Amino acid sequence: MNYIDEYRDGTLAAGLAAAIARAAIPRRQYRFMEFCGGHTYAIARYGLTDLLPSSVRMIHGPGCPVCVLPIGRVDAVIRLALEHKVTLCTYGDALRVPGSGGMSLLRARARGADVRMIYSAADALTVARAEPQREVVFFALGFETTTPATAVVIREAHAAGIGNFSVLCNHVLTPPAMAAILESPVLPGAAPLALDGFVGPAHVSTVIGTVPYEFVALRHRKPVVIAGFEPLDLLQAVLMLIRQVNDGRAEVENEFVRAVGRNGNLKAQALMREVFEVRDRFEWRGLGEIPASALKIREPYRRLDAEVRYAMGYRPVPDNKACECGAILRGAKSPSECAIFGTLCTPENPIGACMVSSEGACAAHYSYGRFKDAVEVPG
Amino acid sequence: MSGNRNTGYVRPLDLRDGRVEMSHGSGGRAMAQLVRELFLAAFDNDILRQMNDQAIFTLPPGRVVMTTDSYVVSPLFFPGGDIGCMSVHGTINDLAMSGARPAYLAASFVLEEGFALAELKRVVDSMARAALLAGVPVVTGDTKVVERGKGDGVFITTTGVGVVADGIDISGANARPGDSILLSGTIGDHGIAVMSKREDLGFRTAIESDTAALHELVAAMVAAVPGIHAMRDPTRGGLGTTLNEIAAQSGVGMMIEEASIPVAPQVEAACEFLGFDPLYVANEGKLVAICRQQDAGRLLAAMRAHPLGAAAAVIGEVRQDRNGFVQMKTRLGGQRIVDWLTGEQLPRIC
Ligand code: SF4
């Protein structure tokens, strides 16, 4: 794994930063959204905004799988664990997501729920095989990156006729969320959407390729640059975006050629199509309902669908009124403009979606960037 | 190690296939046998041999330092160590961070019914070896057994006493603006070694835990710079948490340099895989020391001269900061906060 360092070289970064500063036209503002939480995290962790001129602002997007999970769905999975007494397997990140009343899967576990942290979808099936007397539910979530692995597990469980296993599918789709951000109606009194382009997802794009983003360039005239998660990838992508804006171009460019092809991974896509179908609509925390933005398990695999098996209805629960996540995700506000940022809403006690995971916009700003707010406090 | 002397013939403990039973904690004959054949045999020393419920000793002159810590680790055995040697090293280190010379240890075991005696023996032997090598004997102890399912094999609590010489005043509250921050070596080794052993984890690594007793290193450091301001071992919560603790206690801020913090490439790679930040991964054989800037060169030389400090480095400086922020210049040239860890570090999905 020695390749890591070459994407984190300080000298190369300084060179790219200088190129960005030269390319940015004075007095012009550039506002780019990095869609993915992985990018948000990298920006925060490496302090990349310090390398950008003040005219370039990065807006943190909704690409954090646990942050976009609506409260109603979190409540449902907690009920499943506590009331149906199933063995619930899920990724570490999902354990802390708050539902209603500050309840989370971690807290449910403290109250006796059988919640297990796993590292891959296959682990969940292993648990089901090892403990046939338990009803095992895999709480599957994530963007297109983690979806193929869930599909594999569903197919395998189906073929092997494993009776004590089901999947609660909360997989969501990236392109419809980008469309929702671009098309979100501007509410009276609210600032208009201010975006000059997107840093496109890294891992998601290895699966879906670059074609699904073309509508952003064609229909919405916004440039997209697909970028890897390494800090130098991000800087390179910002430079490419600035050049597109300066040239008046709106194209889908690919900085992450070492991993992403135009058509993505066709095998993974076929697998996803075989096992999943698109839901009519799905609620996203902070963004509201978005049509055709999530997946559910197809009819032949119904037996493995936890929503069916446990007759789970969906009850939406509104977000906290003070939470500005919606505006933050549209680039209209920054985290420190939320009235309860850092006071009522902290990573220890998240109120809104963006504070949930280290990849969320508010959490990243709180954990890595809030000294920038503090230095301006006089006295 | 309380227990009564036993006369008639008793079949020896089956240290190969035997298991911990409730009777091993009941205070009766079975417990006496366990104490004698396992604990006494391993920890053997003059004080313990007296078989009293307490240890009586005198300490060299100076102020007495005392600490206690409970050890709960899963798995019990991991690359580079186990719960046994860790429970000796950890408590010795907590004593040593005050500049003290550790003198004696007490050990208390909570065993789970059904725990294999062979594994218990491995743990106890490892403790005994660690105590012997460190020159800090275990002089008293206790054993309890809990029902199956109510423990995790074995929990160990060790308590230590030591003596700190007059004139040494090392405390987390003593860091001052302008001070230098030194680190004794690579970070994250222990946490990653333990993680790699958890069976549900899909990666293998050659990383070993850094578990070690640091009191000799500390003695060399104190000899070189008696006026060290603060010292702490960054165990659970990692370097990031330890720096925040000291900053809060001393009412100061800090600025560290990412590029100067040593991280083994395998640890870096494993952290990448798991979505962890090495700054928050546990260590069991590293320390952070804070001293006046003009003493830093001498302190660093003393650390590097000791095998446990060979990779020591100056990683930053203490600053005046009302907010108590620990900040870091990243390798990329940016700047960010190194915050307190929120809950447990959990792997990220993306
Ligand atoms: S600080 Fe909390 S409540 Fe405010 S916008 Fe961010 S997540 Fe929402």
Side-chain angles (χ1 to χ4, degrees), chain B residues 186-237:
Chain B
T186 54
I187 56 168
D189 303 55
H190 174 74
I192 294 301
V194 170
M195 289 293 286
S196 76
K197 256 315 221 200
R198 297 218 171 127
E199 44 201 313
D200 46 6
L201 223 88
F203 79 95
R204 293 278 161 273
T205 163
I207 281 288
E208 296 206 332
S209 166
D210 57 351
T211 180
L214 296 169
H215 58 309
E216 302 292 353
L217 170 64
V218 170
M221 289 167 65
V222 171
V225 179
I228 295 173
H229 284 169
M231 204 149 49
R232 190 154 296 174
D233 52 339
T235 52
R236 241 179 339 171

Side-chain angles (χ1 to χ4, degrees), chain B residues 3 21 42 58 90 118 157-158 161 184 199 207 272 274 287 294 300 311:
Chain B
E21 293 162 21
T58 48
T157 300
T158 50
V161 290
S184 67
E199 44 201 313
I207 281 288
E272 195 66 23
L274 294 166
L287 62 81
Q294 56 265 45
L300 185 65

